[in-house]
Amino acid sequence: MLGVSATGIAAARPVGAPGKGRYRRSGPVLAFAILGAGVLIAAVVSLMLGSNLIDPVSVVGRLVDPASDAGAIVWGSRVPRTVLGLLVGFCLGIAGAVMQGQTRNPLADPGIFGVSAGASLAVVGGIYVLGTTSVLATLWLALAGAVVASILVFAIAAIGRGIASPVPLAIAGYAVSSLLIAVTSYFVLANETTLAAYRIWVVGALSSRQLAGTEPVVAFAVVGLIFAAANVRSLNSLSLGTELAQGLGESLLRARLVGLAAITLLTASAVAVTGPIGFVGLTAPHIARALVGGDHYRLLPASGLVGAVVLLLCDVVGRMIGGTSEVPSGVVLTVLGGIVFIVIVRRGRMAAL
């Protein structure tokens, strides 16, 4: 009607528009390249730095020759904590992104479902009742306690048929966590041996952790990653609001179940290895969202990579500032997470998802 042809429309576009479009398309690729490089650098730094500084060339030599004394240091201490740091950080980062997507709350943390509290109670109960202190037994107890706690939260929320909404799940999670923490405190205060063992585990650290016996944890983590991948489309729909998600044909019950399974398995795997490590699940999704945007197809893997980098670097910082003894990575992360928490609140992004 206005007599404007397609050629005219194309001619009227700004000269810089095509270039800008290419930049936007290449942005996530560049972000993932940076994150990949960050993971590699963090792993190398984790292998190099500690009570003894080892240059990169020597690290490679000692990796090739594990029989030497220096090789025993690298393989016996730094390789396990680096590998576990990558695994735990990746799991917690993705669990945090799924949790925040499920609740549409940028301050949500994977521990909200009682996972950490359940793991803590199981470990303390094993020490108090059975006298179990071995690393392998602690790992299995923590894994079982985390899973059982999440099932309990789900069952309580399902009683009122509120499983499709994040609010009943969050309330049930807080209630169960408070109960489990209270029982854990009783066991800890009632026995000095239990307190001594629990004090070491509850801080959350990568030091003194070994790869032996972690096969079940890796298996649980892989299953959790599969559930997280299956939940991506639902998370994108839920970001529009529950009503619009239902209008798009999304099953809220299925979305909550799959998301809960992913959060539980990923967080339980991490907690079983290192003890409760907070704030990775809170901070990693925010950093990843600033790099790749809010599309969960990109946000989940980016959050995992950010979580791995953050945990490894915090572990290295703890080694360097502790003097003759290390500062646990859980303590360093708590300081970092507290600062990030304040920044998020100050910037008023309580609902910016």
Side-chain angles (χ1 to χ4, degrees):
M1 176 176 164
L2 295 177
V4 180
S5 63
T7 304
I9 294 175
R13 291 174 181 166
V15 175
K20 187 176 181 181
R22 285 195 297 271
Y23 174 77
R24 287 178 177 176
R25 289 192 295 270
S26 63
V29 176
L30 178 61
F32 277 107
I34 294 173
L35 288 175
V39 170
L40 180 60
I41 293 172
V44 172
V45 170
S46 178
L47 292 173
M48 288 176 53
L49 300 182
S51 56
N52 296 314
L53 177 64
I54 306 175
D55 62 88
V57 176
S58 299
V59 167
V60 174
R62 292 167 185 181
L63 288 174
V64 175
D65 183 20
S68 64
D69 293 339
I73 295 175
V74 174
W75 279 100
S77 174
R78 298 189 185 178
V79 168
R81 70 193 303 170
T82 299
V83 173
L84 292 177
L86 292 173
L87 173 65
V88 171
F90 193 77
C91 289
L92 290 177
I94 293 181
V98 175
M99 185 72 204
Q100 292 177 12
Q102 285 283 343
T103 61
R104 300 186 68 203
N105 181 356
L107 300 183
D109 185 85
I112 196 174
F113 282 163
V115 178
S116 298
S120 299
L121 178 58
V123 170
V124 168
I127 299 171
Y128 184 82
V129 178
L130 305 175
T132 302
T133 57
S134 70
V135 175
L136 186 59
T138 299
L139 187 150
W140 274 105
L141 286 169
L143 197 60
V147 173
V148 170
S150 292
I151 293 175
L152 180 60
V153 170
F154 169 79
I156 293 174
I159 292 176
R161 297 185 179 181
I163 196 65
S165 171
V167 177
L169 280 171
I171 294 175
Y174 281 122
V176 171
S177 295
S178 299
L179 175 62
L180 297 179
I181 291 172
V183 177
T184 300
S185 299
Y186 168 77
F187 284 138
V188 168
L189 296 175
N191 185 275
E192 292 184 2
T193 303
T194 304
L195 174 61
Y198 178 70
R199 184 179 57 187
I200 297 174
W201 182 82
V202 76
V203 171
L206 294 173
S207 57
S208 304
R209 303 302 198 266
Q210 298 296 323
L211 296 175
T214 58
E215 292 83 1
V217 172
V218 175
F220 271 72
V222 170
V223 176
L225 291 174
I226 294 173
F227 276 110
N231 201 221
V232 169
R233 187 177 67 85
S234 299
L235 290 173
N236 281 338
S237 299
L238 289 172
S239 65
L240 303 174
T242 54
E243 293 183 358
L244 283 177
Q246 285 180 309
L248 293 172
E250 189 66 52
S251 171
L252 296 184
L253 178 59
R254 174 188 173 279
R256 300 301 183 203
L257 286 174
V258 175
L260 177 62
I263 295 167
T264 298
L265 293 173
L266 291 173
T267 310
S269 301
V271 170
V273 173
T274 61
I277 290 184
F279 290 109
V280 175
L282 172 65
T283 59
H286 288 280
I287 300 173
R289 195 174 289 110
L291 293 173
V292 301
D295 185 352
H296 287 84
Y297 283 101
R298 297 191 298 261
L299 180 60
L300 260 62
S303 297
L305 294 174
V306 171
V309 172
V310 168
L311 181 54
L312 276 185
L313 292 182
C314 286
D315 182 53
V316 172
V317 170
R319 300 181 215 173
M320 304 305 295
I321 66 176
T324 56
S325 60
E326 297 183 7
V327 176
S329 50
V331 175
V332 179
L333 275 163
T334 300
V335 175
L336 172 65
I339 296 173
V340 172
F341 186 92
I342 294 172
V343 170
I344 295 170
V345 174
R346 290 283 297 173
R347 297 183 67 177
R349 295 186 174 181
M350 294 295 294
L353 281 178

